[in-house]
Amino acid sequence: MDGTRPTLLGTLKAYIYLLPALLVLGTFSIYPLFRSLFMAFTTVHRRTLEVEEVGLHNFRFLMDDPRFALALRNTFTFVLGVVPVAILISLGIAVLLNQKIRGATFFRSIFFLPFVTSTIAIAMVWNWIFHERHGLLNYFLGFVGVDPRPWIDHPDHAMTALIIMSIWSRLGFNIIILLAGMQTIDKQLYLAAKVDGASAWHRFKTVTVPLLSPSIFFLTVMGVIGSFRVFGEIYALFPGGATAGPANSALTVVYYVFQRFWDDRNFGLATAAALVLFVIILCFTLLQFWVGKKLVHYK
Amino acid sequence: MDVHLKGLTMAFDGHETASLFKRGSAPSKVIAVNNFSATIKSGEMVSLLGPSGCGKSTTLMLLAGLYRPTSGQIIFGGEDVTRIDAEKRGIGMVFQNYALYPHLTVRKNILFPLKMKKVPKAEANKKMEEMARLVQIEHLLDRKPGQLSGGQQQRVAIARALVKEPKLLLLDEPLSNLDARLRLEMREEIRRIQLKVGITAVFVTHDQEEAMSISDRIMLMRDGILQQECHPQEMYRKPVNIFAAEFIGSPPINMLDRDGQRVGVRPEHFTLSQEQDFFTGKISHLETIGRDTLIRVQSAENETVRTFVDGNTTLKIDDTCHLSVKPENIHRFNPATGERVGDA
């Protein structure tokens, strides 16, 4: 076989080898995917369990649903609040951890811990930190003259609390990726920049950031996708789980899907909302790749 | 600008060395440069020569301000710069692996030092173009370093180092990443550019031929200590110790034991003679390179010397031959100290 051109026999052979994998993938991934796509255009009658095609009705309902509007708003707030801040903070910490200091390995492990800890455990700890009277946050805020506030229990603060915890829990992963990226930067570039008269800030700006751009880009894309799909943190942080935070104030799109699916048993509406989220994530990811092409430097 | 080094010493205590420098990584507590004193005169090209680990690169890093010396002084002109950081020392430096900013175009790479000095744009562009012309890379300005050959990258690195018109140019093994032919070409280029700009330059190398050909003066180092400092030809003609004699010259000097002394004779200083004289032995190896033939002669006492004979020689392997040498071409050294003895 010279391997330059696919022959009919060769292709057939290959497909036979691929068949088992394709069957599993088709049954459990591809089929449900298209099935749910189809479900978004139907409604299931509760009593009779009859499926009725309703065209774009579900989407029209979503457009007019103030709860879905809130979910969208919260989701965007969450993405914008978490992703950039988490990357900036991790970048700062990664730079510090990349210095030659005693115990750097120890601190790297410490910062990586959130990534390997279960969301539930993290949420329980933060639930305590956020506690109005006994919490650590209000205790420290007291030192700078800020009155204690009910982080978890009040609709005005619920989103802020959620964002703070989510930023923290993402740091570990971000820092590891950024540190790995920093290891690949040629140290002589820093010496060259020093000789060229660049201050520490300029060296960071002209050497570290551009050469770290593939890592930063990766974290941005993964962070945006992950944040659009936030659910577990909300479910775990706010007690009960029946509503997304006090008075549904931390409702996000996935939480909306969850509520429509399990509480209302409105499968059509739930899948329609999921589909909307899918399109949003797709658009944002494509946008990021388009922007990334101009900003990211690959070797 | 004259550069004075006064009693410069650099001791590393282990962990800080390894990562900054991949090559020549030092074990803990090493004195890389030991009480180094020298003067580099204005407009001179000086080579810091020595085997790897001799402290020549460390000396360069000290000159650049990238290392802070343990003790001693560095004086540029009349100014003591020992405590001044690399960012503010205003020197130009060329690195072994070029260290060009990979994400910036050649143009922006050369402009970078000027941008750091906040030179106005129009003036900066003019200087950048002048420099690009000097190193002959005007046609490459919009490329990224990754799209250039090694020699071209080296030219860009030189342009970047010189564009801010430093008073001192430091070159850290600038030719060792190039192939042999290009090395020869860039060697001449570096010398041409240095003479044209008239800049004081320090050139680090482990290649004695490179140092001999390019520099006004050679500083030979070993184990952090300056061995000899003089004109290249003088180092060849009058090495101050066995180390200097053996390090300079290719093929290397022949070292023999005579009258309780270590005695060195350069291969080209032997002549064939009819009767027994300074050295007698059998030819054990013979190779013709161009116009000369290199022979290796082994004596009955198992001493070996190399020498050149005429390319049209009729000598064969296992022929016995007698070699003589003029007394003034014999270098004598004290076998215990390695120091040169015998002449004034």
Side-chain angles (χ1 to χ4, degrees):
Chain A
M1 280 227 282
D2 59 352
T4 46
R5 246 211 213 154
T7 59
L8 189 67
L9 190 71
T11 312
L12 214 66
K13 243 187 193 166
Y15 274 119
I16 292 172
Y17 281 117
L18 286 170
L19 195 62
L22 286 177
L23 269 179
V24 174
L25 215 70
T27 315
F28 295 105
S29 291
I30 314 278
Y31 173 72
L33 205 78
F34 283 97
R35 185 70 208 169
S36 68
L37 199 74
F38 169 70
M39 236 160 96
F41 300 93
T42 64
T43 194
V44 182
H45 290 284
R46 272 192 165 187
R47 295 260 168 73
T48 57
L49 288 179
E50 260 176 62
V51 179
E52 187 195 334
E53 286 191 40
V54 290
L56 291 173
H57 174 266
N58 286 332
F59 294 97
R60 264 187 232 113
F61 182 87
L62 283 178
M63 272 171 67
D64 296 332
D65 186 0
R67 250 172 81 192
F68 188 66
L70 173 71
L72 273 179
R73 220 168 35 241
N74 279 345
T75 306
F76 276 99
T77 311
F78 183 81
V79 171
L80 285 176
V82 170
V83 180
V85 180
I87 288 177
L88 281 179
I89 295 177
S90 346
L91 193 55
I93 296 174
V95 168
L96 294 180
L97 286 181
N98 203 33
Q99 312 288 319
K100 274 178 230 81
I101 46 166
R102 268 173 226 281
T105 326
F106 171 73
F107 282 112
R108 278 174 210 173
S109 314
I110 291 281
F111 278 103
F112 194 58
L113 269 182
F115 183 68
V116 292
T117 312
S118 103
T119 310
I120 304 288
I122 290 171
M124 280 170 72
V125 173
W126 278 91
N127 198 296
W128 167 71
I129 292 175
F130 284 135
H131 194 279
E132 189 180 356
R133 275 180 296 149
H134 309 299
L136 212 55
L137 186 60
N138 279 339
Y139 179 71
F140 282 123
L141 284 176
F143 288 131
V144 285
V146 178
D147 289 333
R149 50 197 65 196
W151 290 102
I152 301 281
D153 304 325
H154 198 282
D156 289 352
H157 304 308
M159 271 308 282
T160 316
L162 176 67
I163 286 172
I164 292 174
M165 182 188 83
S166 301
I167 288 172
W168 177 84
S169 65
R170 265 146 231 255
L171 291 183
F173 180 69
N174 288 6
I175 289 169
I176 289 294
I177 297 291
L178 292 174
L179 272 175
M182 283 178 186
Q183 304 294 319
T184 67
I185 300 177
D186 182 359
K187 300 284 175 292
Q188 285 212 334
L189 284 178
Y190 288 103
L191 300 185
K194 249 189 193 176
V195 170
D196 283 343
S199 61
W201 168 244
H202 272 117
R203 292 199 294 275
F204 176 72
K205 232 175 57 175
T206 32
V207 180
T208 310
V209 172
L211 295 185
L212 219 48
S213 58
S215 308
I216 296 174
F217 178 67
F218 169 76
L219 289 179
T220 312
V221 172
M222 296 305 282
V224 166
I225 293 175
S227 301
F228 266 121
R229 291 170 22 184
V230 62
F231 174 79
E233 277 116 324
I234 306 168
Y235 191 87
L237 180 64
F238 302 105
T243 60
N248 252 347
S249 54
L251 185 73
T252 59
V253 176
V254 176
Y255 220 101
Y256 179 90
V257 172
F258 174 75
Q259 287 181 346
R260 285 298 184 201
F261 196 92
W262 289 110
D263 301 347
D264 305 348
R265 302 274 157 179
N266 195 333
F267 308 134
L269 198 56
T271 37
L275 198 62
V276 170
L277 182 65
F278 167 74
V279 172
I280 291 174
I281 292 177
L282 185 70
C283 290
F284 266 81
T285 308
L286 290 178
L287 180 77
Q288 287 180 75
F289 272 95
W290 184 69
V291 175
K293 237 180 217 163
K294 300 181 173 182
L295 296 181
V296 177
H297 167 78
Y298 294 103
K299 273 179 197 158
Chain B
M1 180 187 70
D2 288 358
V3 176
H4 304 276
L5 305 176
K6 289 185 182 167
L8 210 57
T9 298
M10 182 74 199
F12 290 108
D13 38 326
H15 57 268
E16 60 187 301
T17 44
S19 52
L20 249 179
F21 253 160
K22 277 175 217 139
R23 63 211 144 94
S25 62
S28 54
K29 199 69 184 176
V30 162
I31 297 173
V33 179
N34 196 346
N35 197 16
F36 190 109
S37 293
T39 297
I40 299 158
K41 288 193 209 82
S42 189
E44 242 186 349
M45 172 85 107
V46 171
S47 287
L48 277 170
L49 177 68
S52 73
C54 73
K56 57 192 192 296
S57 281
T58 307
T59 308
L60 200 73
M61 291 286 160
L62 288 168
L63 277 168
L66 293 168
Y67 288 161
R68 193 59 60 84
T70 314
S71 63
Q73 269 187 314
I74 300 169
I75 289 156
F76 284 5
E79 190 193 357
D80 184 346
V81 297
T82 318
R83 301 277 138 206
I84 292 178
D85 285 330
E87 294 99 298
K88 291 175 187 139
R89 217 172 265 198
I91 40 119
M93 188 154 174
V94 176
F95 293 84
Q96 182 180 2
N97 64 1
Y98 324 126
L100 298 173
Y101 309 116
H103 56 291
L104 299 180
T105 57
V106 168
R107 183 188 303 274
K108 286 188 175 161
N109 262 287
I110 302 176
L111 279 173
F112 184 71
L114 298 177
K115 200 173 135 198
M116 290 303 106
K117 272 178 87 182
K118 300 201 172 67
V119 175
K121 258 205 183 124
E123 193 189 331
N125 272 315
K126 211 180 124 221
K127 282 187 178 172
M128 180 270 296
E129 272 163 20
E130 247 168 56
M131 208 35 78
R133 214 169 305 130
L134 179 70
V135 302
Q136 298 166 353
I137 49 158
E138 312 98 294
H139 56 297
L140 303 171
L141 286 177
D142 292 312
R143 299 226 196 141
K144 297 260 176 84
Q147 300 165 295
L148 304 180
S149 70
Q152 290 168 334
Q153 290 191 41
Q154 191 61 274
R155 286 169 190 268
V156 178
I158 294 169
R160 183 183 62 179
L162 289 176
V163 74
K164 63 182 165 189
E165 291 161 18
K167 288 186 197 120
L168 180 63
L169 177 66
L170 306 175
L171 303 120
D172 186 15
E173 306 237 8
L175 303 175
S176 35
N177 280 9
L178 301 174
D179 62 62
R181 195 173 284 266
L182 204 55
R183 199 175 300 166
L184 208 69
E185 181 192 322
M186 282 311 293
R187 186 164 95 189
E188 289 164 7
E189 270 299 280
I190 288 176
R191 183 59 162 164
R192 174 184 73 85
I193 293 163
Q194 185 259 337
L195 287 174
K196 179 135 193 202
V197 181
I199 190 171
T200 315
V202 181
F203 185 101
V204 162
T205 179
H206 60 264
D207 182 340
Q208 54 92 20
E209 193 190 318
E210 224 166 84
M212 294 284 283
S213 64
I214 204 173
S215 41
D216 298 309
R217 224 143 41 87
I218 295 179
M219 294 180 184
L220 182 68
M221 285 183 80
R222 179 204 196 182
D223 298 336
I225 297 168
L226 181 62
Q227 305 287 312
Q228 187 170 6
E229 179 201 345
C230 61
H231 187 273
Q233 279 311 312
E234 194 188 332
M235 193 169 292
Y236 189 77
R237 287 196 203 110
K238 271 194 176 177
V240 294
N241 56 25
I242 294 175
F243 173 75
E246 287 182 331
F247 200 83
I248 305 283
S250 171
I253 195 165
N254 300 299
M255 295 301 291
L256 305 162
D257 288 311
R258 288 285 184 280
D259 320 320
Q261 284 178 327
R262 283 296 275 173
V263 164
V265 180
R266 299 268 177 216
E268 67 273 25
H269 289 149
F270 280 122
T271 46
L272 289 171
S273 74
Q274 294 307 312
E275 63 243 51
Q276 195 156 340
D277 188 10
F278 185 79
F279 191 90
T280 299
K282 275 186 178 176
I283 296 175
S284 64
H285 183 82
L286 189 146
E287 58 187 49
T288 306
I289 317 153
R291 70 192 153 92
D292 288 322
T293 293
L294 179 70
I295 58 171
R296 203 157 71 209
V297 185
Q298 195 162 19
S299 72
E301 295 85 43
N302 238 355
E303 284 183 319
T304 307
V305 299
R306 287 196 190 85
T307 183
F308 292 109
V309 291
D310 188 77
N312 302 318
T313 181
T314 53
L315 288 170
K316 298 184 302 295
I317 286 184
D318 281 342
D319 283 357
T320 299
C321 67
H322 308 291
L323 301 173
S324 61
V325 59
K326 287 181 190 158
E328 68 262 31
N329 285 332
I330 300 174
H331 307 276
R332 295 177 185 281
F333 302 98
N334 180 329
T337 62
E339 297 299 317
R340 183 181 190 91
V341 289
D343 47 15

